[in-house]
Structures are given as structure tokens and as C-alpha cells.
Amino acid sequence: QVQLVESGGGSVQAGGSLRLNCSASGYDVNFFTGMCVGWFRQTPGTEREGVATIADDGGISYTDSVKGRFTISRDNAKRLLYLEMNNLKPEDSAVYHCAARYGYGSACKPTLLLDWGKNYWGQGTQVTVSA
């Protein structure tokens, strides 16, 4: 069974750091290597926002609000995806979801994740940043 499971969320003060992890189980390593993977976030009552992606060729994209503060990375051999978040701000508070889908190449961008639907998303992990 294919599954994406996030962990690493929590509560921090503004300026603090968190690292989110996403474990992709049920995928062959070669298949995972060819996937567009990334993170998006959602706050109740607001629209989802794509945060960061890594394409199968290693190309990385960030939404403007997190550039210079967040770092996305992947470990294909372990089928893991990470999001290192530094200098967190209260407006970063949200449920963070990882997403993965095969292919897309250079079209792998944060906004693309929002079009895939729940079959390609994890359940999410809560991040709360206090002022």
C-alpha cells in the first residue's frame, strides 16, 4: 500500500527551527527517484499554499515567502523527504502536507502539488509558531 506519512511538526517561538520529515512507503526506490515531491501547507479558512518541491532531476523551487528560510531535500535510497524550516514566523503556522507523484520534470513546482488531490498527499503535521 502506497502511503505518505509526515512527522516533525510541533510548537516553537518565532525565530525558531523545525525539520519536517515525510516517509514514502510502498514505493519502489527507482519509482520514488522519478517522482516530483514537495510540501504544501494549509491553515483553516485559507487556501492551500505550495511551499517547496524537488523534481526528479533535483531541481528545487520555493514559494517566495519561504526563500532563504526553508530548505527542501530528499533521500531517494531511503524514500524520505525533508523540509528544514529556520527563522520561523507566526504566519508559517499551518498543517504541512507532503506530496508525491511520478514524473513532471521541470514542471515540478509548488503550485502543481495542489492539483493532485488526496491520493497523492499525506495527512499532514501541525506547525505552530508563536510570537
Side-chain angles (χ1 to χ4, degrees):
Q1 180 180 357
V2 171
Q3 192 174 17
L4 298 172
V5 179
E6 303 90 341
S7 61
S11 297
V12 296
Q13 291 188 325
S17 299
L18 285 172
R19 189 178 83 159
L20 305 184
N21 310 296
C22 175
S23 175
S25 61
Y27 295 103
D28 174 80
V29 168
N30 289 332
F31 189 87
F32 181 78
T33 301
M35 299 182 90
C36 166
V37 295
W39 297 89
F40 69 93
R41 62 189 180 186
Q42 185 170 23
T43 302
T46 66
E47 293 185 354
R48 298 183 183 99
E49 178 187 28
V51 174
T53 49
I54 302 183
D56 58 338
D57 65 357
I60 291 176
S61 297
Y62 297 100
T63 193
D64 286 346
S65 63
V66 307
K67 287 180 180 177
R69 300 188 299 120
F70 290 13
T71 302
I72 188 172
S73 60
R74 65 192 292 175
D75 185 331
N76 289 330
K78 296 181 180 179
R79 288 161 289 179
L80 292 171
L81 177 65
Y82 306 103
L83 186 67
E84 184 75 34
M85 306 185 295
N86 298 314
N87 191 21
L88 282 160
K89 303 176 181 180
E91 52 264 41
D92 293 320
S93 297
V95 177
Y96 284 72
H97 300 260
C98 65
R101 192 167 182 179
Y102 189 83
Y104 293 97
S106 61
C108 180
K109 304 292 183 185
T111 54
L112 180 69
L113 308 180
L114 310 181
D115 296 335
W116 291 347
K118 294 181 179 180
N119 287 342
Y120 302 95
W121 300 341
Q123 290 297 308
T125 185
Q126 176 71 49
V127 171
T128 303
V129 185
S130 57

